[in-house]
Amino acid sequence: MIKKAQPSDLRAAARLVQILHVRHPLNEVEEDMEHWLSQDDRAVFLALSETQQVVGVALCSLQENDVAGASFYPAAQLDGIYVIEEERGKGYGTELLRRCEEWAKEQGCLQFCAQCDLSDSQRLVFFLKNRLEEASRTIHLVKAL
């Protein structure tokens, strides 16, 4: 089951989001999630197991410009998706993605965008399996001075 996160779900959502952003302490992630849950242009969805345990999270937002591959604005962007390893392969990720897409349509979006690192083949396969099409490839480079 997928549900839109409410303020009472803040801690459960933050614990899973922190796995995506391991460099950030939980209290910082909780502050960020509090902001996400209070904004109309952002949504957080939770996947619940049959025992009502939170096993996945997805974050999506509306973007007015500068979304790679988008040609219509606002465009919806998947800002993060995560399903705990023991629950992968059970359809939770696909359900989360579908709910994000539904939310985007409800907001009037014509496009839904996501991104992944070139080296993240598992995520790329997931997106392609769920009918997202590759729009571009970008490599960011850096040099210490």
Side-chain angles (χ1 to χ4, degrees), residues 2 10 20 31 48 62 72 93 98 103 108 124 129 140 142:
I2 305 301
L10 177 112
L20 291 171
E31 287 176 19
L48 304 176
L62 302 179
F72 300 100
R98 293 286 169 260
W103 176 82
L124 178 59
K129 182 181 102 178
H140 302 274
V142 66

Side-chain angles (χ1 to χ4, degrees), residues 62-127:
L62 302 179
Q63 301 297 321
E64 294 296 332
N65 56 35
D66 201 30
V67 177
S71 50
F72 300 100
Y73 293 96
Q77 177 171 290
L78 182 68
D79 296 291
I81 187 167
Y82 180 77
V83 174
I84 61 174
E85 282 196 47
E86 309 84 66
E87 300 296 331
R88 291 183 185 169
K90 297 180 181 178
Y92 292 117
T94 296
E95 289 180 39
L96 284 164
L97 187 61
R98 293 286 169 260
R99 185 60 190 98
C100 287
E101 292 171 353
E102 289 171 12
W103 176 82
K105 287 179 189 176
E106 292 165 5
Q107 307 309 307
C109 295
L110 299 176
Q111 292 180 307
F112 185 82
C113 304
Q115 60 189 22
C116 70
D117 290 333
L118 291 172
S119 61
D120 193 344
S121 59
Q122 184 179 13
R123 186 174 293 247
L124 178 59
V125 167
F126 170 75
F127 287 145

